[in-house]
């Protein structure tokens, strides 16, 4: 184990909090893997050994679990995970072309990271936002109704070190490690941040009002 | 004309709709107080009488599922909410949890009380970080206000709720794979029986329900069974979120009584974009056989959609106009199933691999006349022989599209190329010098 004392102490404190949420220790494994990604930026050999100790498994058993899930990265991830949905609906609506242009701009393919370590590009599956197609996710925040121009601007901003704002979600996208800490189940105080109403989310509600619907009815 | 009936979506445009204060201003947690004054058995009976059927795809009666739990033996039993929402096209649970997470939390509290569970889990797919923030906050707010935790509303009922983030795997939406994943394992389906109601999480009696099913419970308890059964059709009661996406003028969430038709929904949604003709659509996500414009008047309830040869599924209506190549669409879905096949059983693991290979070569213009039959034969080897419904679902779009659009497959083979201009179906103009479609991932 090569974590320094301070890092290890914090990890153990966080791991204890995670374990406390479950009646059976092994259930803590997925959040623990998100936790080690929040420290190392990927599921490192040290991270695997750490998780194994917490839930009393072998490193091989933990690896077998980690490799099943696409969100756990086996190599150091870019600071920003940029995922373009290329499942059928988004692909048809323009996701394929957005992917092509982003890949060209970044000079990397699927699951590859730019040389400066800023962006890891990924083709992702349906992210439950089809009514906002074509969809892109940056560190798992929604970038809805993308065009190649909009998507390229987001990626350029990231590559040039500027913050980026999702279209639905928080005020700015958290870097990969910070985001991973939230996925480990630690609140970051940003739940009330909001980008306003997305039209597809409320379009039916508006249509109902036009039909004369009122909430109290 | 069927009118829309916002219930779950009623407060989504309120200021800070996700906050506890907003929710209680709109009467939130009143149903929990009412429920805690009732006998658990009466609550289960009410949900049975309401006719509520699971909103996660299969449509199993919710109250009946709760009733399957064995009698209390003093040991733990669990409620697990399926918030994995990953079926392509499905996009209703995410906006529900983003805009009104307390609806789900209140539903969790009522359901847990009804089934005698003191620890509930919400298994959220990991790829939606802001939704996770909202859910964690909602649960914390509910604890602080005494809607969760010890002695809820002074009733003596205790409940802990854990919100758990997955890590990217469609199969974890299948309820037994979800339980394995929640136990810290690879998410692979379990043999049934035993069903989760008997041996679920930690081999204890467990109810697994979809987000929308559980979020519907407070309104049934609060407004009553008759109010609920007044909506919908004979055997498909109540309201549901219909998610329109694709080549429609105003895509989005339309909450309506079950039994509404696509024609009615399309009218509210401004019709197809640029008035182009509807070519094909999924009534309930990518695992449900394709429909065409012949099904515009099919009532969207379980029975009618089933009788017409498809499934209501998750009411994920993905609409494609005449610019769309059906072979391209089906190929991409098939690549999804290949990618998401968990590998546990041979028909699905091998079958989805071969299906993708064959479809890719047809779409690329290298198919042969024998390939179409080969596709159908491969589907036949999977259907009914796969270990879980993922394998069956993978065949739906293939067999239905070959039936409906065989000529389009043949065109690809005869012309040695895809006859469609893919840029025509996008929402924007492609680059002036379009590059060839990139290799499939
Ligand atoms: C491959 C596969 C994926 C599924 N994904 C989901 C899902 O994301 N959400 C969901 O609620 N149900 C999903 N289901 C259905 C669940 O197995 C289960 O039927 C459902 O959660 C039960 O809840 P309900 O009765 O309230 O619908 C999936 C099923 C299969 C076979
Ligand atoms: S059908 Fe597919 S997903 Fe289901 S158990 Fe078999 S291999 Fe796994
Ligand atoms: S297909 Fe892209 S979000 Fe659903």
């Amino acid at each position: 184990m090569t974590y320094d004392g301070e890092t290890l102490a914090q990890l153990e404190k966080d791991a204890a909090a995670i374990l406390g949420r479950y009646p059976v220790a092994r259930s803590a494994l997925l959040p623990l893997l998100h936790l080690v990604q929040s420290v190392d930026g990927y599921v490192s050999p040290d991270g695997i050994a750490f998780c194994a100790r917490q839930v009393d498994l072998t490193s091989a058993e933990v690896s077998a679990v980690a490799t099943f899930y696409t969100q756990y990265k086996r190599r150091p991830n870019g600071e920003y995970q940029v995922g373009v949905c290329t499942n059928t609906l988004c692909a048809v609506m323009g996701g394929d072309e957005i992917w092509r242009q982003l890949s060209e701009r970044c000079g990397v393919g699927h699951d590859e990271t730019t040389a400066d370590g800023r962006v890891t590009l990924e083709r992702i599956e349906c992210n439950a936002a089809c009514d906002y197609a074509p969809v892109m996710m940056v560190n798992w925040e929604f970038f809805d109704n993308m065009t190649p121009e909009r998507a390229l601007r987001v990626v350029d901003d990231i590559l040039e070190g500027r913050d980026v704002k999702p279209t639905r979600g928080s005020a700015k996208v958290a870097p990969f490690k910070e985001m991973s800490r939230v996925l480990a189940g630690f609140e970051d105080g940003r739940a009330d941040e909001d980008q306003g109403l997305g039209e597809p989310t409320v379009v039916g509600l508006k249509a109902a009002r036009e039909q004369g619907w009122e909430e109290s009815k | 004309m069927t009118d829309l009936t916002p219930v779950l979506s009623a407060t989504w445009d309120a200021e800070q709709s996700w906050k506890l204060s907003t929710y209680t201003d709109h009467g939130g947690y009143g149903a929990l107080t009412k429920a805690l004054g009732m006998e658990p058995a009466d609550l289960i009976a009410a949900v049975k009488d309401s006719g509520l059927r699971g909103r996660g795809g299969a449509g199993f009666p919710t109250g009946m599922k709760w009733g399957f739990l064995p009698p209390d033996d003093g040991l733990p039993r669990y409620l697990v909410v399926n918030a994995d929402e990953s079926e392509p096209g499905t996009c209703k649970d995410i906006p529900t949890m983003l805009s009104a997470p307390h609806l789900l939390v209140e539903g969790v509290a009522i359901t847990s009380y009804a089934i005698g569970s003191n620890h509930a889990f919400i298994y959220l797919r990991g790829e939606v970080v802001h939704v996770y923030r909202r859910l964690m906050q909602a649960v914390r707010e509910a604890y602080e206000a005494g809607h969760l935790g010890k002695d809820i509303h002074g009733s003596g009922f205790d409940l802990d709720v854990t919100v758990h983030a997955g890590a990217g795997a469609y199969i974890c939406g299948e309820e037994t794979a979800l339980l394995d994943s929640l136990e810290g394992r690879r998410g692979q389906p379990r043999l049934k029986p035993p069903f989760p109601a008997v041996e679920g999480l930690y081999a204890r009696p467990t109810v697994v329900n979809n987000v929308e099913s559980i979020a519907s419970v407070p309104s049934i308890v609060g407004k009553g069974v008759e109010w609920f059964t007044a909506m919908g059709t004979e055997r498909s009661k109540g309201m549901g979120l219909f998610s329109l996406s694709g080549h429609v003028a105003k895509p989005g969430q339309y909450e309506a009584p079950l039994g509404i038709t696509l024609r009615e929904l399309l009218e509210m949604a401004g019709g197809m974009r640029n008035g182009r003709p509807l070519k094909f659509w999924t009534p309930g996500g990518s695992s449900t056989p394709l429909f065409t414009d012949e099904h515009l008047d099919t009532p969207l309830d379980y029975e009618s959609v089933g009788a017409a040869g498809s499934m209501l599924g998750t009411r994920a209506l993905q609409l494609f106009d005449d610019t769309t190549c059906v072979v391209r669409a089906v190929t991409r879905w098939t690549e999804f199933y290949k990618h998401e096949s968990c590998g546990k059983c041979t028909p699905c693991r091998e079958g989805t691999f071969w299906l993708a290979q064959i479809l890719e070569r047809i779409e690329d213009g290298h198919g042969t006349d024998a390939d179409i039959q080969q596709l159908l034969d491969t589907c036949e080897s999977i259907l009914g022989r796969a270990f879980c419904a993922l394998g069956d679902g993978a065949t739906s779009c293939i067999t239905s599209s070959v039936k409906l659009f065989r000529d389009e497959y043949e065109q690809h083979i005869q012309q040695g190329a895809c006859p469609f201009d893919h840029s025509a179906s996008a929402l924007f103009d492609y680059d002036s010098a379009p590059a060839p479609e990139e290799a499939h991932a």
Side-chain angles (χ1 to χ4, degrees):
Chain A
M1 180 95 30
T2 51
Y3 290 118
D4 64 51
E6 200 183 321
T7 310
L8 188 60
Q10 182 65 43
L11 269 173
E12 280 175 344
K13 186 165 158 257
D14 291 339
I18 293 173
L19 283 155
R21 299 179 203 144
Y22 302 92
V24 174
R26 185 166 176 163
S27 282
L29 186 50
L30 267 62
L32 284 170
L33 287 163
H34 285 305
L35 179 70
V36 301
Q37 294 210 117
S38 79
V39 174
D40 293 331
Y42 73 118
V43 175
S44 62
D46 280 352
I48 289 183
F50 174 80
C51 291
R53 260 198 309 136
Q54 300 302 313
V55 295
D56 207 12
L57 293 173
T58 65
S59 289
E61 286 168 320
V62 171
S63 290
V65 174
T67 52
F68 186 82
Y69 299 93
T70 52
Q71 278 183 286
Y72 299 131
K73 300 298 168 189
R74 276 175 267 181
R75 292 183 300 274
N77 203 69
E79 245 181 300
Y80 292 86
Q81 173 85 24
V82 176
V84 180
C85 177
T86 53
N87 201 302
T88 298
L89 191 113
C90 281
V92 165
M93 307 292 284
D96 277 351
E97 178 63 9
I98 293 172
W99 166 261
R100 190 187 70 76
Q101 295 203 21
L102 287 195
S103 178
E104 194 178 276
R105 173 70 54 101
C106 296
V108 299
H110 170 69
D111 204 18
E112 291 174 2
T113 304
T114 53
D116 61 2
R118 291 288 284 171
V119 170
T120 299
L121 217 53
E122 197 181 7
R123 297 169 64 115
I124 60 171
E125 299 299 356
C126 175
N127 220 82
C130 324
D131 47 348
Y132 290 92
V135 173
M136 179 168 93
M137 303 297 293
V138 180
N139 285 349
W140 306 118
E141 299 250 27
F142 290 107
F143 286 70
D144 302 314
N145 299 121
M146 283 293 107
T147 62
E149 298 76 57
R150 281 184 220 142
L152 284 171
R153 206 175 315 133
V154 172
V155 164
D156 285 344
D157 281 343
I158 297 173
L159 291 173
E160 285 158 25
R162 288 186 290 273
D163 288 337
V164 290
K165 266 209 286 204
T167 54
R168 260 183 311 153
S170 67
K172 69 169 198 197
V173 174
F176 185 77
K177 290 182 182 176
E178 271 179 41
M179 178 276 300
S180 297
R181 187 171 169 82
V182 178
L183 293 185
F186 294 100
E187 287 192 80
D188 62 357
R190 300 178 56 189
D192 287 337
E193 292 177 13
D194 195 50
Q195 297 288 351
L197 294 172
E199 187 61 23
T201 298
V202 293
V203 68
L205 190 51
K206 286 186 181 169
R209 291 218 168 88
E210 279 163 26
Q211 292 171 354
W213 171 86
E214 284 167 40
E215 202 203 328
S216 53
K217 276 210 296 192
Chain B
M1 185 77 183
T2 312
D3 277 345
L4 294 169
T5 49
V7 178
L8 308 183
S9 59
T11 60
W12 291 2
D13 63 354
E15 183 79 14
Q16 293 208 307
S17 62
W18 58 89
K19 299 286 282 182
L20 176 64
S21 51
T22 314
Y23 189 62
T24 45
D25 283 350
H26 290 262
Y29 289 101
L32 176 60
T33 306
K34 184 171 170 187
L36 292 170
M38 291 169 65
E39 284 301 319
D42 293 338
L43 274 171
I44 297 179
V47 172
K48 267 187 196 161
D49 293 343
S50 77
L52 173 67
R53 294 170 65 172
R55 301 295 194 230
F60 193 83
T62 303
M64 195 188 289
K65 183 186 275 187
W66 299 0
F68 284 157
L69 290 194
D72 187 10
D73 59 2
L75 293 170
R77 47 187 56 212
Y78 299 104
L79 169 66
V80 176
V81 176
N82 191 341
D84 194 56
E85 186 158 78
S86 313
E87 163 84 3
T90 310
C91 49
K92 63 192 181 66
D93 298 339
I94 293 299
T96 304
M97 294 182 285
L98 200 56
S99 306
H102 282 285
L103 206 52
L104 178 62
V105 175
E106 184 177 14
V108 164
I110 296 172
T111 306
S112 299
Y113 173 72
I115 64 169
S117 166
N118 300 112
H119 198 158
F121 296 85
I122 301 172
Y123 185 108
L124 175 69
R125 70 180 296 182
E127 300 106 319
V128 283
V129 68
H130 208 56
V131 179
Y132 196 34
R133 290 190 181 105
R134 292 262 164 97
L135 274 178
M136 286 194 287
Q137 167 164 291
V139 166
R140 179 171 45 75
E141 284 180 319
Y143 268 103
E144 287 163 5
H147 303 311
L148 297 177
K150 297 272 174 241
D151 191 21
I152 297 172
H153 295 196
S155 64
F157 174 63
D158 302 338
L159 176 64
D160 283 316
V161 175
T162 300
V163 194
H164 177 97
Y170 166 61
I171 189 59
C172 291
E174 194 282 335
E175 57 183 12
T176 61
L178 185 151
L179 294 174
D180 258 34
S181 177
L182 185 51
E183 290 182 4
R185 298 167 198 281
R186 295 165 76 89
Q188 291 186 312
R190 300 175 178 176
L191 194 65
K192 291 192 269 195
F195 288 93
V198 179
E199 279 183 42
L201 187 64
Y202 314 129
R204 294 291 307 159
T206 301
V207 165
V208 183
N209 270 132
N210 170 256
V211 168
E212 192 184 353
S213 312
I214 295 297
S216 300
V217 170
S219 63
I220 294 172
V221 171
K223 300 178 195 226
V225 169
E226 287 76 42
W227 164 82
F228 192 78
T229 55
M231 291 179 283
T233 57
E234 183 63 31
R235 290 173 56 208
S236 299
K237 295 295 184 195
M239 71 295 164
L241 290 160
F242 291 82
S243 311
L244 271 62
S245 64
H247 294 135
V248 51
K250 292 193 274 178
Q253 307 302 317
Y254 295 82
E255 195 171 3
L258 300 188
I260 194 168
T261 64
L262 177 57
R263 190 183 300 282
E264 292 173 309
L265 285 165
L266 262 180
E267 194 162 310
M268 299 171 199
M272 296 294 285
R273 67 156 185 174
N274 306 329
R276 296 201 73 98
L278 170 65
K279 180 174 171 183
F280 62 94
W281 56 291
T282 65
S286 61
S287 304
T288 62
L290 299 178
F291 273 174
T292 64
D293 60 353
E294 286 188 12
H295 303 94
L296 277 165
D297 296 307
T298 304
L300 297 171
D301 60 33
Y302 297 99
E303 293 69 35
S304 309
V305 176
S310 190
M311 288 175 280
L312 187 60
T314 51
R315 286 151 282 117
L317 282 59
Q318 308 175 85
L319 314 177
F320 298 92
D321 69 19
D322 63 340
T323 63
T324 316
C325 171
V326 76
V327 180
R328 177 188 181 206
V330 169
T331 303
R332 196 57 61 85
W333 278 319
T334 305
E335 288 168 338
F336 164 78
Y337 290 107
K338 178 188 99 174
H339 183 245
E340 301 299 330
S341 167
C342 81
K344 181 165 181 152
C345 71
T346 314
C348 167
R349 185 185 61 240
E350 300 298 316
T352 53
F353 174 83
W354 287 110
L355 288 172
Q357 294 261 312
I358 301 166
L359 280 162
E360 283 161 12
R361 73 174 174 247
I362 297 177
E363 167 65 1
D364 290 347
H366 301 113
T368 65
D369 289 333
D371 277 344
I372 300 177
Q373 192 54 43
Q374 186 64 53
L375 274 180
L376 295 177
D377 291 347
T378 310
C379 286
E380 211 178 287
S381 327
I382 299 174
L383 190 68
R385 294 183 176 84
F387 190 79
C388 84
L390 184 146
D392 291 349
T395 68
S396 294
C397 64
I398 300 175
T399 40
S400 60
S401 65
V402 170
K403 198 189 275 168
L404 295 164
F405 301 102
R406 193 179 183 109
D407 53 331
E408 217 166 293
Y409 282 86
E410 287 165 354
Q411 264 181 353
H412 279 79
I413 293 165
Q414 280 150 18
Q415 297 182 9
C418 176
F420 286 84
D421 168 12
H422 293 184
S423 67
S425 49
L427 286 184
F428 48 77
D429 290 333
Y430 273 25
D431 231 342
S432 47
E437 182 102 325
E438 81 288 352
H440 297 285

